[in-house]
Amino acid sequence: MPAATRSGPAAPRLAALPAARRAAARGAPYFVREGIEGFRRNGLASVAAVTITMVTLMALGVALIVASTLDQLAGGVERKLQVVVYLRDGLRSSEVEAARARLSRLPGVTQVDYVSKDDALTVFQQRVGGRVDLREVLSHNPLPASFEVAADRPARLEAIARAAAVLPQVEHASYGAETADRLLAVTRIVRLAGAVASVGLALVAVIIIVNTIRLTVFARRKEIEVMRLVGATAWFIRWPFVVEGAITGAVAGCAALVLVTGLYAWLAWATGGSLPFLPLVSPLQVALHLAWKLLLWGVLIGIGGSLLAVRRFLSL
Amino acid sequence: MEPEGPGPVTPVVFPAAGTDPAAPSAVVAMVEFHRVNKVFPNGVCALREVTLRIEPEEFVFIVGPTGTGKSTLTKMIYREELPSSGHVLVGGRDVTRMPAWQVPFLRRRVGVVFQDFKLLPRKTAWENVAFALEVTGAPGAEIDGRVGEVLEVVGLAARAGAVPGELSAGEQQRVSIARALVHRPPLLVADEPTGNLDPDTSWEIVQLLSQINLRGTTVIVTTHDKTIVDILRKRVVALEGGAVIRDQARGLYAGGH
């Protein structure tokens, strides 16, 4: 019982402590305010960090657009279950009919449609649109006549194409999957190159961000010292830096989105209908598709850089 | 089935008496040094076998010439330094074995005052004091009340809107004392609080610390100001070469009777 009388005013008062989590939640406006202040105060260093992060995200954005365009192209090609058999020029109609008969008898063939040179030009003219009259531009029709050979299932296509290619009347036979495979191979290369470039640039961006955050740590060292002495928790002290990194990444993400989408819109407008085989998506759709990816990666790069800086330059 | 496991860890910095085997006596000392040694990496020996017990509500001067380990000793109380060997107990809790995440909670229970004030130059007196509450996540309504209260205690309520550059050295030290008190700590540690002040101002600051002590706060002051120590006649712990050479109730700076 002696403790009750002697240490009454002192020791028992020292019991309960607030939960650190509540403190962090109440500090949120403070973190954001300090994060913005740090970003603003660093001036040119912040601009440099945003620029390099933006370049990183632009590389990522361009790679994503090219890859998805190629993907769509490959998808469109593959959907047609047919072999196109191009014929040599100058065949007599009897030779054409002989070829048709041979093709019809191949296993798995369900239908054989003849596309004359004129038909081919008409189709092509439609795809190009009315801007250019091909018949005026061209002195002769360069397009070959062809058979569109429909098959009952995809596995037959390769055999049909190979059998068709050996006929004397046939110039060349191709089927969708072959083209699609080539496109997919290109898509893979674009993806890989995009990933390598993005990762390399992201590393540079992280280094620049680490340096920028270090400036803020230095500028705030007196405040940080006081914060430690009056009992701010380590995470309370770190949060403003994390916010500053996230702001850097988000600003870079927005800038990259505007630039990449703008570039895409300009390319789409400049090429117009002259690349009819490209399945062009509207710039707005591209922006929507890219927005969250670029923002997410920007913020991740920014936070990664600030956490590294805090680890190295802030001993708590 | 176990009836009850060890419950979730709560950050109780100063537990009740008798929970720590290193605190055998019935009353929990506010601060207890037990055979504390400190050797810095460069080989300098700052403290030697320091054993010291400070009770709640005491006022203690730690005296000695510069470089005798006074600052190292105070830093160990709020765990800015760790001893090379020995134990430091604050409120019965061994701070040398305290995990790092609990240190901020210890520091909210130990107010610290410095020779160089450590005020933020762009914040007003009021903001400097409020900062200590803000960064520990106190709610806004509580901050307003408490800051006004402690500025009143240190006699600076009228100068609350001034930035440190507009305040005299003595006023700046009052702001830093207000900041140290705003968490209502049971213990106040002042490391050479009068080191930058003229004699009259020094005397005012020490009187303020003495008043704070009379309100129930334990106060530990390091100084090499002979006059102040000799007038106040409080407990004096004298350090020399890192060792306690004298510990005297109602003592003088130079010893004797």
Side-chain angles (χ1 to χ4, degrees), chain A residues 81-103:
Chain A
L81 197 57
Q82 67 173 23
V83 178
V84 180
V85 179
Y86 297 101
L87 300 174
R88 296 182 196 286
D89 274 355
L91 291 178
R92 288 194 299 272
S93 59
S94 61
E95 289 173 309
V96 173
E97 283 312 311
R100 180 204 286 274
R102 292 285 296 275
L103 290 171

Side-chain angles (χ1 to χ4, degrees), chain B residues 214-234:
Chain B
L214 289 176
R215 291 162 168 250
T217 307
T218 311
V219 176
I220 301 172
V221 181
T222 74
T223 186
H224 53 259
D225 188 326
K226 182 178 183 305
T227 323
I228 283 170
V229 175
D230 288 351
I231 294 175
L232 239 62
R233 297 304 295 261
K234 300 282 190 184

Side-chain angles (χ1 to χ4, degrees), chain B residues 6-190:
Chain B
V9 183
T10 44
V12 176
V13 174
F14 298 173
T19 52
D20 198 308
S25 84
V27 179
V28 183
M30 184 54 77
V31 176
E32 208 174 341
F33 279 68
H34 185 69
R35 301 192 61 184
V36 170
N37 288 281
K38 179 68 181 184
V39 183
F40 284 110
N42 62 8
V44 172
C45 183
L47 293 177
R48 290 170 213 271
E49 292 290 307
V50 171
T51 295
L52 192 62
R53 190 183 156 93
I54 296 169
E55 304 298 338
E57 298 182 52
E58 263 197 291
F59 189 113
V60 182
F61 280 119
I62 313 265
V63 303
T66 317
T68 49
K70 301 194 298 282
S71 281
T72 308
L73 189 144
T74 56
K75 280 179 182 166
M76 282 179 183
I77 297 172
Y78 55 95
R79 225 193 85 153
E80 184 69 10
E81 289 283 357
L82 280 169
S84 308
S85 69
H87 293 279
V88 178
L89 280 72
V90 178
R93 177 67 194 269
D94 190 343
V95 300
T96 59
R97 290 187 307 196
M98 180 178 277
W101 68 270
Q102 281 186 10
V103 171
F105 300 97
L106 167 74
R107 290 183 182 170
R108 294 176 199 183
R109 314 307 289 152
V110 180
V112 191
V113 174
F114 299 93
Q115 180 173 352
D116 59 355
F117 321 136
K118 295 197 194 298
L119 298 176
L120 300 174
R122 287 213 297 236
K123 291 184 189 289
T124 64
W126 200 95
E127 288 166 342
N128 264 287
V129 176
F131 187 68
L133 288 175
E134 276 168 11
V135 301
T136 50
E142 194 182 330
I143 294 175
D144 288 349
R146 290 234 212 143
V147 174
E149 196 180 295
V150 287
L151 283 175
E152 199 75 50
V153 169
V154 301
L156 266 188
R159 304 282 280 138
V163 294
E166 300 162 352
L167 296 169
S168 72
E171 287 172 324
Q172 290 185 51
Q173 190 59 295
R174 285 170 189 271
V175 175
S176 97
I177 291 171
R179 182 180 63 195
L181 290 178
V182 79
H183 280 297
R184 296 186 179 137
L187 173 60
L188 185 69
V189 179

Side-chain angles (χ1 to χ4, degrees), chain A residues 98-114:
Chain A
R100 180 204 286 274
R102 292 285 296 275
L103 290 171
S104 303
R105 283 201 299 277
L106 290 173
V109 171
T110 55
Q111 201 182 335
V112 178
D113 290 326
Y114 181 67

